[in-house]
Amino acid sequence: MNNEQLLTAIGEIDEELITGAANDTTIRKNHILARLGALAACLMLLVAGGYQTLFKPVATVYVTINPSVSMELNRVGRVIGLSGLNEDGVTLLTGYTYRGKDRLQVTEELIARAEEQGFLTEAGQVTISIETGSETSTEKYNTEFLNAFTTDGAQTGDAGITVRKLLTIQQARDAALSYFGLTSAKFHGFECEAEHARTVYELEFTSGGVAYECTMDAVTGEILESGTENKGVSGTNTGDLLSADAAKTAALNHAGLSAGEVTFTKCELDREDGRSVYELKFTTASGKYEYTLDAADGTVLDFDYDGVKGDKEQQKDQTVPSASLTPEQAKTAALNYAGLDASAVTFTKTELDEHDRRPVYELEFTTDARKYECDVDAVTGEVTEFESKAVRSAGQTAAGITGEEAEDIALTAAGITRSDVKYIHSHEEYDDGFVEGWCVEFGVGSTKYEYLIHIDTGEILEVSVDRH
């Protein structure tokens, strides 16, 4: 019998059997000897370091229904822990024991309990995500769960069951390092969030005085969100990249300014278009500057002075011309552009502002059916920006989608079913007394979704996803 077989055999010893040997003094002698034998075997494991093999988790299986549960496995694949990842997950596990059961049996029984407790319907979805420390184990468990719960990769039973093979922790770390252009780092945060739509890894690590964090698709390795923060001492070089002080110096040299003339309000290391960049903001007595520099060599990729792109000296010499149009003339120019008569509209905003060192009238007006936003050059009368959209007055009745239909549109776009969500509600969103659309909000696990749906066409106008 090899070591792996020995560990597997010992792993099948019931923990209650071991505990009972120390407390039950009334059992028969042969039972005592059997339990003492089990205790002796465990003692041998402790001496050989086998304790960690049996009781240290090396793989996690996430079972997502609406209750979310994580199942920890030891080296021999035995279930050594169950945790509810949300309130429904805790409810699902209340009164349930996994002792003496293998991983497949536990998964099957949890799915059955979810059905009994009303969490899972025939049209529901079960997602099984498998995370391990080795490619071999990942492939083994993935194949095992696929064979047990699906047929040729398709679902079995009434509910839809998806088995999702995740990147190993090391593969995820390597993908994160590659994305940031690093070869090594100190990892101090790793979290998996398993949901029906997507399973993600959240990683945190530091390298060269810079703190990195990213959210990654746990199946493909695609980086969904990322961020960095310079944690190093000012002037410390971050590997092959410029230090924060060197980036500041490069920006000041380009602007023709000295450090004593400016106040820095931002200096952050970030990723943009596949490379590391510094984003800087600073102010002087005469204006505001924004710079984006290549963090490798200090090349100026983009800069902005008082909102005007281009040469700094040119911008400083420019003066803002005075407005020659009256507000009424600007309104006439906007109405002519829109092809409307003054009697058909109501102006809600007429404001003189400055855009790119030009005086501009910002106008907003409405008709019974549409809302308009228009910018008019206050010198030439030229319409520089124009936008209109169909709207509906508050309380106005017209053919359009219902709140429930808007909810269905949002759920379909998110790839989520009603049985997945903890809550969902919709309400009409108003803007200046007009109905802009249906605002649909729903939650899945720790993620909150918010959609703005056009009330007449069903078009998705805005989407917001907040992962806590």
Side-chain angles (χ1 to χ4, degrees):
M1 178 179 290
N2 59 33
N3 289 339
E4 193 71 27
Q5 291 172 326
L6 177 61
L7 289 171
T8 302
I10 296 173
E12 296 301 323
I13 298 173
D14 195 327
E15 295 168 23
E16 293 179 356
L17 196 67
I18 298 171
T19 305
N23 301 324
D24 191 348
T25 58
T26 63
I27 56 178
R28 292 173 298 182
K29 181 177 181 181
N30 59 338
H31 284 190
I32 294 175
L33 292 175
R35 292 178 180 180
L36 288 175
L39 286 170
C42 289
L43 181 60
M44 292 173 62
L45 275 177
L46 285 171
V47 174
Y51 176 86
Q52 295 215 356
T53 299
L54 291 180
F55 299 104
K56 179 181 178 181
V58 298
T60 304
V61 177
Y62 298 91
V63 181
T64 306
I65 303 170
N66 176 18
S68 293
V69 173
S70 67
M71 179 194 318
E72 293 184 332
L73 310 179
N74 64 8
R75 180 180 168 186
V76 296
R78 185 178 179 187
V79 181
I80 58 173
L82 277 179
S83 300
L85 302 179
N86 56 16
E87 185 176 344
D88 289 340
V90 174
T91 300
L92 183 69
L93 295 181
T94 301
Y96 178 76
T97 179
Y98 60 85
R99 295 183 184 279
K101 301 172 184 177
D102 65 33
R103 50 199 173 271
L104 296 180
Q105 181 182 355
V106 170
T107 303
E108 185 175 1
E109 290 180 354
L110 290 178
I111 293 173
R113 284 174 67 86
E115 291 175 340
E116 294 169 1
Q117 296 179 18
F119 290 119
L120 183 61
T121 64
E122 291 186 4
Q125 179 70 31
V126 179
T127 301
I128 301 171
S129 304
I130 303 165
E131 169 203 316
T132 78
S134 77
E135 295 181 53
T136 302
S137 296
T138 299
E139 192 62 42
K140 170 187 172 182
Y141 293 139
N142 182 69
T143 301
E144 181 181 70
F145 278 90
L146 278 173
N147 291 338
F149 294 102
T150 69
T151 303
D152 296 329
Q155 66 191 49
T156 60
D158 294 329
I161 298 180
T162 300
V163 179
R164 191 174 286 160
K165 180 172 65 174
L166 308 184
L167 297 175
T168 66
I169 296 175
Q170 188 57 53
Q171 287 173 328
R173 289 176 172 175
D174 290 343
L177 291 175
S178 176
Y179 176 82
F180 285 103
L182 302 172
T183 56
S184 63
K186 181 178 180 180
F187 285 85
H188 50 81
F190 187 94
E191 186 175 340
C192 178
E193 289 191 7
E195 298 177 0
H196 291 310
R198 173 180 266 164
T199 299
V200 300
Y201 287 145
E202 295 181 350
L203 299 92
E204 296 180 359
F205 51 99
T206 55
S207 178
V210 179
Y212 299 82
E213 61 181 16
C214 67
T215 301
M216 171 191 303
D217 187 305
V219 176
T220 66
E222 176 190 359
I223 303 298
L224 307 174
E225 296 179 12
S226 65
T228 59
E229 183 179 353
N230 195 337
K231 295 288 189 181
V233 178
S234 180
T236 302
N237 193 286
T238 58
D240 296 329
L241 305 180
L242 295 176
S243 67
D245 279 354
K248 290 179 180 179
T249 300
L252 291 175
N253 289 340
H254 185 272
L257 298 168
S258 66
E261 297 178 85
V262 307
T263 300
F264 277 92
T265 58
K266 178 181 180 180
C267 181
E268 292 183 3
L269 187 63
D270 204 347
R271 290 286 292 182
E272 189 175 285
D273 298 330
R275 60 181 165 188
S276 297
V277 299
Y278 274 105
E279 296 179 347
L280 304 99
K281 292 183 180 181
F282 51 95
T283 60
T284 67
S286 60
K288 300 178 181 179
Y289 295 77
E290 295 185 16
Y291 272 81
T292 302
L293 306 182
D294 188 313
D297 57 15
T299 300
V300 176
L301 304 175
D302 192 17
F303 77 101
D304 187 281
Y305 171 75
D306 273 351
V308 180
K309 300 278 183 180
D311 181 75
K312 192 268 300 184
E313 292 300 330
Q314 234 179 5
Q315 295 163 11
K316 287 175 70 177
D317 294 337
Q318 289 179 341
T319 58
V320 180
S322 300
S324 57
L325 265 66
T326 66
E328 292 304 317
Q329 289 172 323
K331 290 180 180 179
T332 299
L335 292 174
N336 289 339
Y337 189 90
L340 297 171
D341 187 84
S343 62
V345 307
T346 300
F347 278 90
T348 58
K349 178 182 179 181
T350 304
E351 184 177 308
L352 183 62
D353 204 347
E354 179 187 318
H355 293 186
D356 296 342
R357 305 189 74 79
R358 294 284 297 181
V360 172
Y361 279 105
E362 296 179 348
L363 307 169
E364 294 181 7
F365 50 98
T366 60
T367 66
D368 289 339
R370 302 189 72 82
K371 177 180 177 180
Y372 298 82
E373 295 182 10
C374 184
D375 288 353
V376 178
D377 189 298
V379 177
T380 66
E382 177 189 1
V383 174
T384 57
E385 289 187 25
F386 183 84
E387 180 183 348
S388 73
K389 57 185 176 182
V391 292
R392 185 190 305 165
S393 298
Q396 178 183 354
T397 58
I401 63 172
T402 65
E404 186 174 356
E405 288 171 333
E407 293 174 3
D408 290 338
I409 291 171
L411 290 171
T412 300
I416 295 170
T417 65
R418 284 186 180 270
S419 60
D420 297 333
V421 302
K422 293 192 295 185
Y423 64 88
I424 184 168
H425 52 79
S426 55
H427 63 270
E428 292 182 340
E429 188 78 7
Y430 293 90
D431 184 13
D432 291 336
F434 285 79
V435 180
E436 188 175 13
W438 285 106
C439 179
V440 180
E441 298 178 354
F442 54 94
V444 179
S446 60
T447 302
K448 177 184 177 182
Y449 296 81
E450 186 172 337
Y451 281 75
L452 182 61
I453 311 293
H454 195 289
I455 202 162
D456 289 315
T457 66
E459 176 189 358
I460 297 175
L461 303 176
E462 296 179 11
V463 180
S464 173
V465 181
D466 183 13
R467 300 181 184 278
H468 298 291

